[in-house]
Amino acid sequence: MYPIIDKKATGNRIKRIMDCKNISVKELKDYLGLSCVQSIYHWLDGTCLPTLDNLYAMSQLFGTSIDAMVCGNRRTAMPQMSDARSRRLYAYYERLAG
């Protein structure tokens, strides 16, 4: 099975980042040079995904990577951890990031 992007979770994550950065939908529309806010609302509700160009621009605006915005079913390799505390912390991080 190949990795698939979860549009709904990605939209929720973008919305959460916008809320944390206090960026409104109108401000994002203006930054991206879009003609209307409807496209952004479609991203946020999981109807569709931003283009790669828009993801790239948003990563600059949000100060984060594209990977931090996109959610999917791709499994990340667990780093080798020697102690139980590190493994628990990593598992907690995975739940938050997922």
Side-chain angles (χ1 to χ4, degrees):
M1 184 168 145
Y2 62 93
I4 298 172
I5 295 173
D6 183 334
K7 293 186 284 190
K8 187 80 164 168
T10 298
N12 288 334
R13 186 168 289 172
I14 291 171
K15 182 173 173 38
R16 189 172 47 229
I17 293 170
M18 289 174 63
D19 289 344
C20 288
K21 303 281 184 177
N22 292 317
I23 297 172
S24 70
V25 172
K26 184 184 180 325
E27 290 169 329
L28 182 58
K29 175 196 78 88
D30 292 341
Y31 178 79
L32 296 173
L34 301 173
S35 59
C36 66
V37 296
Q38 199 61 33
S39 296
I40 297 171
Y41 285 118
H42 285 192
W43 305 339
L44 300 180
D45 70 15
T47 304
C48 63
L49 291 167
T51 64
L52 186 56
D53 289 341
N54 286 332
L55 282 170
Y56 189 68
M58 288 190 300
S59 73
Q60 177 69 34
L61 177 65
F62 299 159
T64 189
S65 68
I66 292 174
D67 272 350
M69 289 186 285
V70 175
C71 299
N73 66 349
R74 180 176 64 184
R75 309 271 300 152
T76 56
M78 184 172 164
Q80 296 299 321
M81 296 184 193
S82 58
D83 63 277
R85 182 175 180 263
S86 294
R87 286 191 299 274
R88 282 194 312 272
L89 285 172
Y90 185 78
Y92 177 72
Y93 167 78
E94 282 292 302
R95 277 185 264 138
L96 288 176

